[in-house]
Amino acid sequence: MRHQKTFAMRHKKTVRIATFLVLATVMTATAAGGASATPPPPTAPPVETTAQMETTAHIKGSAHLEYPVVADDIQVTVDARATFTKDSPWFPVRSEGTLRLSHTMVRPDGSSRTYWADMEVDCMTKGGPNATVTGRIVAASNNPKDANYPEDPFQKMLKDHVRMGMSFYVAGKGVGPSRVGLSGAADMTLSKCMAPAPYDKVLKGGFSLQS
């Protein structure tokens, strides 16, 4: 009798354990199935970095230009860069670089004198093979006046904080000469990136224009 009672108790305990295991298995499977049925959260679109939102342009080079006085030498040297954004694709948000204009005057006796002005670039724009650059004179030659040469004009321009603008047409290989246009001396009212059309032919040297 005692043996039968013990066997019955063990049998009930075994049934309870088996039932618990079955329920646990069913609940686990249900939870797993529910989780797999839930769609994943939407993927956020990639965020563009500042570098990806910006484009740049760069003009660099040096050239000797056509001039009415054949013996004289006019030379322009430029190294200017500009940065554009999606919100400002045509007008730069940043510009930097240097621009030099020099004029060497040659006298009949063979002597010569060079007048020059260096400008700090404050604006550069680009469109196709064309670019415009403006800047303020920050350094200049200081040649004395004498019987053969006039007073150095760039010294006064330096003192007056004169700004100048230049335009560049960078011709492709075999499609004609490149050209440069010069605004001449202008006061501080000269707008940024404003310059006349390029008209003086490049006789020697040249420029590279990249974007």
Side-chain angles (χ1 to χ4, degrees):
M1 187 69 175
R2 184 176 180 180
H3 176 72
Q4 291 179 348
K5 186 176 182 181
T6 301
F7 175 80
M9 292 176 64
R10 288 180 179 177
H11 178 71
K12 290 180 180 180
K13 186 176 182 180
T14 301
V15 171
R16 285 198 300 269
I17 293 173
T19 302
F20 174 80
L21 291 174
V22 171
L23 289 174
T25 302
V26 172
M27 292 177 66
T28 301
T30 302
S36 62
T38 304
T43 303
V47 178
E48 289 185 308
T49 64
T50 301
Q52 292 173 322
M53 296 172 64
E54 293 180 345
T55 58
T56 59
H58 183 200
I59 184 168
K60 185 176 183 179
S62 184
H64 301 265
L65 308 181
E66 185 179 52
Y67 191 66
V69 181
V70 178
D72 286 9
D73 180 49
I74 306 296
Q75 186 173 1
V76 170
T77 302
V78 63
D79 185 2
R81 296 164 296 283
T83 301
F84 305 85
T85 65
K86 284 187 175 181
D87 294 332
S88 184
W90 311 118
F91 198 82
V93 294
R94 290 189 303 278
S95 296
E96 59 184 351
T98 56
L99 184 65
R100 168 172 280 210
L101 171 65
S102 68
H103 181 175
T104 300
M105 301 178 67
V106 181
R107 290 299 180 233
D109 63 2
S111 64
S112 64
R113 178 174 290 178
T114 299
Y115 302 84
W116 57 268
D118 285 344
M119 283 154 274
E120 184 179 76
V121 172
D122 59 23
C123 191
M124 175 199 165
T125 59
K126 176 191 177 297
N130 303 285
T132 61
V133 180
T134 53
R136 180 175 62 86
I137 295 178
V138 294
S141 55
N142 189 15
N143 294 301
K145 180 181 178 180
D146 59 31
N148 293 320
Y149 296 96
E151 182 179 1
D152 195 322
F154 287 129
Q155 268 301 304
K156 185 177 187 309
M157 294 181 192
L158 175 62
K159 294 175 183 178
D160 292 342
H161 307 290
V162 163
R163 300 182 69 248
M164 300 182 78
M166 292 188 190
S167 60
F168 299 84
Y169 165 66
V170 182
K173 187 176 181 180
V175 295
S178 295
R179 294 176 179 268
V180 177
L182 176 63
S183 70
D187 60 23
M188 294 300 290
T189 60
L190 176 69
S191 299
K192 289 184 176 182
C193 280
M194 296 299 292
Y199 46 83
D200 289 328
K201 293 180 182 178
V202 169
L203 301 179
K204 182 181 178 181
F207 307 98
S208 64
L209 182 58
Q210 301 172 344
S211 61

